[in-house]
Amino acid sequence: MAMFIRVDIDEALQAETALHKRLVEVCPVDIFAVDGARLVTVEKNLDECTLCDLCIDASGDKVKVVKLYE
Amino acid sequence: MRLYEFEAKQVIAKFGVPLPKRTMARTAEEAEAAATSIGGSVVLKSQVLSGGRMKAGGVLFAETPAEAKAAATTILALTINGLEPTGVLVEERRKVVQEYYAAVTWDGRAKSPLIIFSDMGGIDIEEVAEQHPEHLSRTHFSNLRPFSDYIAKVAVSSVGVTGNELGALTRIVSALARAFLQYDMTLAEINPIARLEDGTIIALDSHMDMEEEARGSQRALLTELAISDDETRQARPPTPFEIAGGQVDASDPRGVAGRVVEFDGNLGLIIGAGGGSLTLFDAVRAAGGRAANYCEIGGNPSVGKAAALTKLVLSKPGVEKIAVMMSVVSNTRADMMARGVVLGCIEAGKDPAETIAIFRVPGSWEEEAVKILQKYHVEYVDRTVSLFEAARRAVAKLGGS
């Protein structure tokens, strides 16, 4: 269980499969992965999130990065 | 990375430094054959990466090959400061009239290389500097511009050497400086340089340390010296704790979190940043603290890597608390460090608030780090608190001064 960062994926994004690959590509610390037809987060990498916002920009705000320490 | 004497002599020989006839022997039989080949009186010197060889009985003299064999047998069985010799250097024994000292090293404060020369060689150079400063010269030079023999001449003549000796010694000191620059040395020393009865000047002993980071760029020299990649050349074998530190660092290519050296104190250190580790280690000692370890962390290690190093330090018996301290950092994010050390404490089953004596990592993403530390009630300080004051506060939490 990540201690510092949670990443929420808007359910609407699951239908946009073209975006899945884009999100996997843009994240510098491999937080996203494709599991079947679904975009999922990789639990062990969540705390490595650099808060770069690339995923937010790429998804059009359909991804939320939550700082658990705030 | 330290070189053995016989290797250092190979290096300076490439630059034309005159040396006695010599042969490296790995066995007593080889030493006997070397003595036969050299002829006459010989000196046999333990090839061990430690000082104090003479006092420890690692340097013996022999008049005949049979004596040389016996001496080599003694030396090869002799452990000096816990280190076993890799062999025996057999050299012709020369009668010395006068001894000189020459070294080239790096002056961190001046940020330039420095030649140290003395006409009182063969003894502890620190003692010369303290008791006979007029017999010692210090001459800085540029590591950017080509080296000039004139600089070596200034170093030698500064202690009053003149005539033929000035020329001969200048050539040796110049060669030493060129070896220092070409092979990324941190120390290149000849002690003593000897003037013989016939006026000849030769190098009798040499010590060299190469920058550890230069192993890659100096591969050709290391190959020539038959030094393999797995030879660490440390003053002692690494402890299991230190090996584990190396494994932490190797586990993730992001940043540095390792280079651990084990000590027997109770304050674990997670320290780093551009020379900050050494300063901070000194600061802990200056405050009366006892460090459990030295380490280097920086260059943006991953959270997992910082956490793994933290867990390793906390796993060391006797460690009561850790101090997380760096000088001002621009290449390491303070918030990632905060995440790493807090995570490491929690995964080690410890309360970060109780375990982290102080957190001083001023620099990039510091405001985010503060939020994390506040949530876990960890004491932190910013750059307005000096490294030494931060260290003092950490030590005080352990009941120190």
Side-chain angles (χ1 to χ4, degrees):
Chain A
M1 184 75 178
M3 281 179 50
F4 304 102
I5 300 292
R6 191 183 76 228
V7 173
D8 296 335
I9 301 170
D10 191 321
E11 195 55 34
L13 195 144
Q14 296 298 353
E16 300 180 47
T17 51
L19 266 181
H20 296 183
K21 189 180 173 195
R22 177 77 183 130
L23 283 162
V24 170
E25 280 174 355
V26 298
C27 179
V29 292
D30 300 333
I31 284 175
F32 299 98
V34 177
D35 183 7
R38 291 189 65 79
L39 182 72
V40 297
T41 57
V42 179
E43 182 70 25
K44 70 180 176 67
N45 291 340
L46 284 171
D47 280 339
E48 303 288 351
C49 173
T50 61
L51 306 176
C52 64
D53 289 352
L54 288 172
C55 56
I56 296 168
D57 294 344
S59 69
D61 288 337
K62 291 191 183 74
V63 165
K64 283 194 174 62
V65 176
V66 182
K67 300 175 195 171
L68 300 173
Y69 49 86
E70 282 188 334
Chain B
M1 188 192 74
R2 304 180 79 178
L3 301 188
Y4 289 102
E5 177 193 356
F6 77 97
E7 295 167 337
K9 284 181 169 172
Q10 273 182 258
V11 173
I12 57 177
K14 288 158 69 78
F15 290 82
V17 173
L19 292 156
K21 283 190 275 185
R22 66 199 187 285
T23 300
M24 177 63 179
R26 304 282 179 180
T27 66
E29 289 72 25
E30 286 181 12
E32 182 183 28
T36 303
S37 170
I38 291 168
S41 180
V42 294
V43 55
L44 296 100
K45 300 155 95 175
S46 173
Q47 293 305 286
V48 65
L49 297 175
S50 171
R53 290 181 301 175
M54 180 69 92
K55 282 183 187 168
V59 179
L60 297 173
F61 301 98
E63 298 301 322
T64 65
E67 282 183 23
K69 183 180 181 183
T73 302
T74 302
I75 289 171
L76 288 169
L78 185 68
T79 299
I80 300 176
N81 293 329
L83 297 171
E84 292 180 1
T86 191
V88 179
L89 184 62
V90 186
E91 283 188 344
E92 64 176 334
R93 189 177 182 186
R94 306 297 298 267
K95 187 151 187 177
V96 175
V97 175
Q98 184 175 1
E99 295 181 324
Y100 304 88
Y101 173 94
V104 185
T105 188
W106 181 258
D107 182 342
R109 289 191 178 177
K111 294 183 168 53
S112 71
L114 170 69
I115 296 171
I116 301 169
F117 182 83
S118 173
D119 58 353
M120 294 180 71
I123 58 174
D124 184 4
I125 198 64
E126 283 80 9
E127 188 184 317
V128 176
E130 199 172 295
Q131 296 178 12
H132 309 283
E134 71 280 10
H135 285 277
L136 187 134
S137 70
R138 294 182 177 86
T139 310
H140 290 94
F141 62 97
S142 169
N143 59 329
L144 301 176
R145 290 193 290 271
F147 185 81
S148 163
D149 289 348
Y150 175 74
I151 297 161
K153 193 171 187 178
V154 168
V156 176
S157 62
S158 294
V159 295
V161 176
T162 58
N164 290 341
E165 289 152 28
L166 175 58
L169 287 163
T170 294
R171 284 190 288 278
I172 291 175
V173 172
S174 181
L176 193 63
R178 291 174 199 280
F180 176 90
L181 292 171
Q182 182 168 330
Y183 291 126
D184 296 319
M185 298 293 174
T186 55
L187 173 66
E189 180 186 76
I190 305 176
N191 186 28
I193 302 170
R195 179 161 60 86
L196 308 178
E197 282 182 315
D198 63 0
T200 309
I201 293 184
I202 62 173
L204 290 189
D205 197 356
S206 184
H207 174 187
M208 286 189 171
D209 282 349
M210 178 187 280
E211 171 59 53
E212 186 66 31
E213 302 293 340
R215 288 185 79 129
S217 59
Q218 297 297 348
R219 190 165 299 279
L221 176 68
L222 299 182
T223 302
E224 190 179 326
L225 297 175
I227 299 173
S228 63
D229 288 346
D230 58 359
E231 279 190 66
T232 62
R233 295 296 179 93
Q234 299 302 308
R236 57 169 172 73
T239 66
F241 178 76
E242 291 165 352
I243 291 169
Q247 288 167 344
V248 168
D249 198 30
S251 67
D252 189 320
R254 289 171 285 185
V256 172
R259 292 182 188 159
V260 173
V261 182
E262 184 168 10
F263 292 91
D264 58 2
N266 56 356
L267 179 63
L269 298 181
I270 306 291
I271 51 178
S277 287
L278 288 172
T279 305
L280 285 158
F281 193 87
D282 285 346
V284 168
R285 292 192 64 185
R290 293 185 304 113
N293 68 286
Y294 168 87
C295 77
E296 291 175 13
I297 191 162
N300 253 348
S302 66
V303 171
K305 194 160 160 175
L309 182 64
T310 302
K311 278 196 289 183
L312 174 69
V313 172
L314 287 172
S315 73
K316 194 171 178 298
V319 171
E320 297 172 33
K321 291 181 186 293
I322 58 169
V324 183
M325 303 184 289
M326 301 176 85
S327 46
V328 179
V329 286
S330 58
N331 71 339
T332 300
R333 281 176 49 165
D335 61 331
M336 303 300 263
M337 282 292 299
R339 287 190 215 172
V341 295
V342 167
L343 180 62
C345 287
I346 289 170
E347 289 187 348
K350 296 180 182 293
D351 178 359
E354 292 295 320
T355 308
I356 301 172
I358 200 152
F359 185 101
R360 184 200 187 275
V361 184
S364 58
W365 293 73
E366 189 176 347
E367 289 176 9
E368 208 70 26
V370 167
K371 292 178 195 170
I372 294 166
L373 298 167
Q374 283 176 337
K375 169 161 181 172
Y376 290 94
H377 309 292
V378 173
E379 182 179 338
Y380 62 90
V381 293
D382 62 16
R383 71 191 69 190
T384 62
V385 174
S386 73
L387 298 174
F388 277 78
E389 173 59 16
R392 190 197 64 75
R393 292 186 193 181
V395 170
K397 284 193 175 178
L398 287 167
S401 60

